[in-house]
Structure formats: C-alpha cells, structure tokens
Amino acid sequence: MSIQEVIQTIENRYPHQPEFIQAVKEVASSIGSAYDSNPNYAKLKVFERLTEPDRIINFRVNWEDDNGNVQINRGWRVQFSNAIGPYKGGLRFHPTVSESVLKFLGFEQIFKNALTGLPMGGAKGGSDFDPKGKSDNEIRRFCYAFIRELHQYIGKDMDVPAGDIGVGGREVSYMFAMYKNLTHEYEGVLTGKGVGFGGSLIRTEATGYGAVYFLENMIAAQKDTMVGKKVLISGAGNVSLHAAEKATMLGAKVLTVSDSKGTLYDPEGLDQTKIDWLKEQKAQRKPLEEYVQKFGGQWLAGEKPWQFDADVAMPCATQNEVDENDAKKLVEHGVKYIVEGANMPLNIAAIDYVREHQVHYAPGKAANAGGVAVSGLEMSQNSVRQYRTFEELDQQLKNIMKDIHDNAASAAKENGYGDDSYIDYMSGANIAGFKRVADALVAYGVLN
Ligand code: GLU
C-alpha cells in the first residue's frame, strides 16, 4: 500500500477521529522520498504498522466525590509503538480527551521520543475527567482509581506514563503511591515524580526550557541571537511559564501569556518577579487578569495573543489553537519564528500558511521534546538508583535539544527540504524520527 492508500484506509476506518487523521497526514506529507529510498519500508508495511497502535487499553474509572456520590469516567492508554524502547508518554486529564485525541498524541509521541535519541517508544493515555473545580481529595481519589485500573499494563520496562495537561507532580505522585502499594515494587514506572522520591531535577522546567533551547538554535542558524527578541506565548501552564522564564533569562522580551479566558499583554515584557507571581497565581487557580492591577499591562478578555508585533510566537496551550486566520495575523505582525510548545497547536491550514511565508516553523514533536527527554533521564536515574545535579541535567537537556535541531535540519537539507537560509524543520523532524523507528521495524521483520 502506498502512503496515500494508507491514509485513505485510515480515513475510511476512523472517520470520527479527526485529530488522529490530521497528525498522520502531517507526518505523511514529509516522508515520501525517505519512504521510497528504502524498499523494505513498503515491503514490510512500515507505515501501516506505525499508524495502527499496538493496542489500546480502555477502561472505566469509578470514584467517589466529596458528596459521597459515585462518579464514572473513561480512561485509556494507547500503546502505540515499543519499537525502540518501552512505551512512553504522558497522561492527560481533560474533558476533551477522546480516543482520537489520545491516538494523535500517541502517534506524535513515537517520533518525538525517537528524535530525543533515547530508548523510548510512543504512548499516551488519560481520561475525560475534568480536574477543574475538583478538591484535592477528589483529585487524589480519582488518581488512585485511575491507576488501580491501569497498573497491570504498565511497568518500568513495559510502559512508563508521565504528566500532560491536567496531570502534574501532584497527580503523578498519587498514581505512583497507588502503583507502589498494589505491586510492592519501588520502580521508575512513572516520570515526573516529586524530587526526593525518584523524580528528576529540571523535569518540571524541561518542556518550556527545552522549547526555548530549540528556538535559540533556530535563531543561531540564522546567525542571530535571542537578545531583544519579542515573544508571544499562549497558555499559562507549566510549559508556557517555563518557556517565558527561559526566554526572559536569555534576554528576550515576553509580551503575552494567555488562558481559556483571555490574553495578558505586558508591553514592558515579563521579568522573574512577574513570572514567579504568575506561577503562584496559577498554582492557586486564581484569575490571570489580576496581573493588571499589580503590574499594569492589558487584559484582553476572550482574545488570543497573536495580534501584537513580535519576532517569535510560541503556542503552548493545546491542539489546533492556531488556525489560518491566526497564522495570517502572525505573519502580518512580523513573526519570523514559530515554536510549538504544545502538541499540534497549528492546524494544517495554519502550518501551510506560515511555511509558504517562510516563517521558520518548529513542530511540537521536535521543539517540545525536552519534557519527555528529561523523563528519559529520570528513567535512567531510577534504573541505576542515582540522582544527577540540576547543572548536569540542564546541560544534557541543552545537548539533546541541539541534537534534535541539528538532526532535523540535516534531514531536511538531505531530502531537499530547504537550505541554510530556510530550514523546513517539520519535514526534517518527521523524516529523522520516522527513519529511526522504521529501521527498527525492518530489523524486526514481521513482529513489532
Ligand atoms: N506529555 C509530555 C509530552 O507531550 C511528556 C511525556 C513524558 O514525559 O513521558 O511529550
């Protein structure tokens, strides 16, 4: 089957999974020539194998709310591919979670994890549970119930979940406690644990910091620096605020952050005091707009942050948050670099538009791989029962992000996607990630 035929089959088989189809089409759009370069890929049906998960575990989660009522949610783990390492990827708790969303995230995770150069397969999981407005006790009971169902399918060498939207250190720690309790094993089965009981330093910062390290490399490739660059960031979660922090440390001027209620615009740019305040505000689940009373700037209710002049945009909120209209605004406002902190924040029309306008565009699977990369480092620290220092891990993160950048850039150039002045990072990342996994499948023959 040709790549086109595989896509057709997927569209016919999963018409109700638009996010998954979108993610497959994005990868497919880049890998054509690389696919043809090795006849074994087609012969061993590598693309067909990679677009159907190894398995999907689907379960019901019963838990009790603070009023003593039984609540029921749906839970999943999509184990997509363990071709190059144990299944690895986060858990998302959000009402928009569906099989389509988790399949798109799991599919992306295969290539992202391959790009890190670490031995990790691809997976994703989660629940349609909405953490918003839930008490700490409810979150705890839900996490216990969730992992009670999932625990038999995960393990340090089998499948290693972590956080994603709605799942941070608190949730991972509750789940780790339940896993340990049920199995009597103290092992690195989840990453993003609390530092002090197996968690790695810099894991919390890693996705945001890593995305900025990637940006730094993109800018350096154009013989420029971060200093003075104006940056628009969306979201106000872990990825956004750590991206804002690192960009600010490197001399850039971060003008915006946002949440589901609107955008905060500060023409003076953020500084560490403001970022610390934002972190605290978000941790307490208080409104972003209170920033204006304290530090000035503007609150734009219901608006996205793409309407200001800037050099860089970092969408760090969620999938499909940037559509073609937003992409037009970004180009109009002079944005030259787009770095995806979130997974698939640009829809296909937006990607096409910015690439046609020669905006340097780094897809999430390359730019936000720092989070899972440090998860990989957490796994190795847990295996040898040792901790590395913050400095050591930060240096490793920087090296990994530089390698991802350089590998994506050379794969792009080697396959005719751009030159030194315009590097097509999307194609490069897709090709480099795909080849690593595809070569493993070829070596295995018919088995996964
Ligand atoms: N959820 C994160 C991602 O999208 C991190 C996954 C992990 O650390 O396993 O890559």
Side-chain angles (χ1 to χ4, degrees):
M1 242 193 248
S2 70
I3 289 185
Q4 253 337 299
E5 285 164 340
V6 175
I7 291 178
Q8 196 55 59
T9 309
I10 290 171
E11 282 184 316
N12 295 341
R13 194 180 292 155
Y14 303 114
H16 49 291
Q17 297 189 347
E19 294 88 358
F20 174 56
I21 292 168
Q22 181 183 338
V24 171
K25 281 186 172 167
E26 190 243 88
V27 170
S29 71
S30 311
I31 59 168
S33 60
Y35 200 74
D36 294 339
S37 71
N38 184 345
N40 280 326
Y41 292 161
K43 188 166 159 237
L44 291 165
K45 302 198 169 158
V46 163
F47 197 60
E48 277 169 87
R49 286 158 68 179
L50 280 176
T51 47
E52 189 66 37
D54 289 354
R55 68 193 63 77
I56 300 178
I57 298 140
N58 186 192
F59 48 94
R60 191 184 66 249
V61 186
N62 303 343
W63 57 282
E64 199 177 341
D65 69 19
D66 286 346
N67 299 320
N69 297 321
V70 175
Q71 298 285 347
I72 297 170
N73 283 96
R74 299 205 292 156
W76 293 264
R77 185 71 178 164
V78 179
Q79 295 181 332
F80 229 113
S81 165
N82 66 352
I84 61 163
Y87 299 108
K88 179 81 194 94
L91 296 170
R92 178 176 291 194
F93 294 169
H94 195 270
T96 56
V97 164
S98 64
E99 204 163 293
S100 172
V101 167
L102 295 176
K103 277 177 71 180
F104 117 64
L105 289 163
F107 181 71
E108 289 272 299
Q109 201 82 41
I110 305 174
F111 307 106
K112 182 193 308 197
N113 295 1
L115 286 166
T116 66
L118 299 171
M120 298 184 289
K124 205 84 187 192
S127 173
D128 57 3
F129 171 77
D130 187 359
K132 226 178 234 171
K134 301 288 189 297
S135 70
D136 188 58
N137 284 337
E138 289 175 326
I139 299 275
R140 175 168 42 76
R141 285 194 292 269
F142 179 78
C143 290
Y144 284 172
F146 182 87
I147 217 70
R148 203 172 50 221
E149 292 306 317
L150 186 63
H151 83 277
Q152 55 194 315
Y153 305 103
I154 59 175
K156 69 176 173 23
D157 298 314
M158 193 198 299
D159 183 354
V160 184
D164 195 80
I165 294 172
V167 179
R170 171 179 63 162
E171 291 75 16
V172 168
S173 301
Y174 288 147
M175 289 192 270
F176 181 65
M178 181 51 107
Y179 182 87
K180 187 164 74 59
N181 192 280
L182 290 169
T183 60
H184 304 276
E185 302 276 356
Y186 201 110
E187 59 174 49
V189 63
L190 285 142
T191 59
K193 300 181 286 297
V195 174
F197 51 94
S200 176
L201 287 168
I202 217 174
R203 176 63 191 85
T204 312
E205 296 85 350
T207 312
Y209 279 20
V212 173
Y213 292 148
F214 195 95
L215 168 67
E216 210 185 3
N217 281 286
M218 291 167 83
I219 294 184
Q222 299 309 313
K223 311 208 173 351
D224 201 352
T225 74
M226 290 277 293
V227 178
K229 291 280 174 298
K230 288 186 185 162
V231 184
L232 307 176
I233 294 182
S234 65
N238 181 47
V239 180
S240 313
L241 295 182
H242 288 106
E245 183 168 84
K246 184 52 75 178
T248 307
M249 282 178 189
L250 296 177
K253 193 168 177 179
V254 177
L255 300 177
T256 65
V257 290
S258 70
D259 65 10
S260 57
K261 302 203 171 59
T263 287
L264 182 66
Y265 171 63
D266 184 344
E268 303 296 316
L270 300 182
D271 59 24
Q272 194 60 50
T273 311
K274 294 172 178 176
I275 293 168
D276 288 342
W277 184 89
L278 285 167
K279 283 184 187 168
E280 194 45 42
Q281 190 78 354
K282 274 286 153 186
Q284 294 180 23
R285 296 176 172 75
K286 289 197 199 153
L288 212 53
E289 70 172 298
E290 287 176 8
Y291 178 99
V292 178
Q293 283 112 58
K294 194 152 174 68
F295 300 107
Q298 235 179 302
W299 172 252
L300 299 113
E303 306 228 7
K304 297 184 193 177
W306 316 126
Q307 49 183 300
F308 303 102
D309 286 352
D311 306 289
V312 178
M314 298 186 72
C316 297
T318 196
Q319 67 266 12
N320 293 329
E321 58 172 301
V322 179
D323 60 20
E324 194 177 0
N325 265 334
D326 300 321
K328 283 183 183 157
K329 280 190 201 154
L330 289 171
V331 170
E332 225 171 89
H333 287 283
V335 166
K336 293 275 172 306
Y337 300 91
I338 298 181
V339 175
E340 293 187 337
N343 291 313
M344 209 167 78
L346 270 69
N347 71 15
I348 293 206
I351 295 175
D352 289 346
Y353 189 85
V354 300
R355 289 166 81 229
E356 274 160 27
H357 289 78
Q358 302 274 299
V359 176
H360 300 280
Y361 161 68
K365 63 172 77 71
N368 73 35
V372 76
V374 175
S375 277
L377 302 179
E378 181 170 332
M379 287 165 74
S380 57
Q381 292 172 86
N382 290 166
S383 293
V384 293
R385 303 198 195 290
Q386 275 175 1
Y387 292 112
R388 294 176 207 157
T389 64
F390 188 94
E391 289 70 28
E392 217 177 325
L393 291 160
D394 191 29
Q395 192 53 52
Q396 280 180 293
L397 173 62
K398 270 187 206 164
N399 294 347
I400 291 173
M401 296 317 295
K402 181 171 172 20
D403 286 348
I404 298 176
H405 172 275
D406 294 354
N407 291 338
S410 22
K413 285 182 220 162
E414 279 159 24
N415 287 276
Y417 292 105
D419 50 32
D420 285 336
S421 63
Y422 185 76
I423 301 166
D424 179 352
Y425 290 103
M426 183 188 95
S427 301
N430 283 335
I431 293 166
F434 171 77
K435 277 182 102 170
R436 180 152 184 239
V437 183
D439 289 343
L441 291 183
V442 169
Y444 295 150
V446 181
L447 290 178
N448 287 325

